[in-house]
Amino acid sequence: MSAHCMLTGRQPGFGKTISHSHRRSSRRFDPNVQRKRYWLASEGRHVRLTLSTKGIKTVDSIGIEAAAARIRARGVRV
């Protein structure tokens, strides 16, 4: 599963891990993405979305229909 949110567009950030001796090595900061299944009443089917936790809260507040419209506006297939 790729670490991208379909709604908010959040994706991994990159940085460095610094050890006790101050040596640096590369690392990834992945967003907390989860697969959620929603009922899309307008199409009469379920959709499975990969959302960050902030994206899940956004769907809860604006509704799945508006969220699906925003995802499609970003050019992502639902």
Side-chain angles (χ1 to χ4, degrees):
M1 173 171 60
S2 93
H4 295 274
C5 177
M6 296 171 86
L7 181 60
T8 62
R10 290 192 178 209
Q11 55 192 7
F14 295 90
K16 299 286 185 183
T17 298
I18 303 179
S19 69
H20 179 70
S21 64
H22 224 64
R23 294 182 68 154
R24 292 171 171 87
S25 57
S26 295
R27 65 160 291 185
R28 267 169 69 129
F29 295 92
D30 284 331
N32 185 7
V33 294
Q34 300 172 11
R35 288 179 59 106
K36 289 276 289 180
R37 187 171 170 245
Y38 291 99
W39 174 251
L40 201 56
S42 64
E43 298 179 17
R45 67 182 181 106
H46 284 97
V47 291
R48 192 175 299 276
L49 303 176
T50 304
L51 299 170
S52 63
T53 49
K54 177 145 182 146
I56 292 170
K57 292 173 189 173
T58 303
V59 170
D60 290 343
S61 66
I62 66 172
I64 185 61
E65 300 292 337
R70 282 191 195 180
I71 292 170
R72 287 187 177 119
R74 291 186 68 236
V76 179
R77 188 173 148 260
V78 175

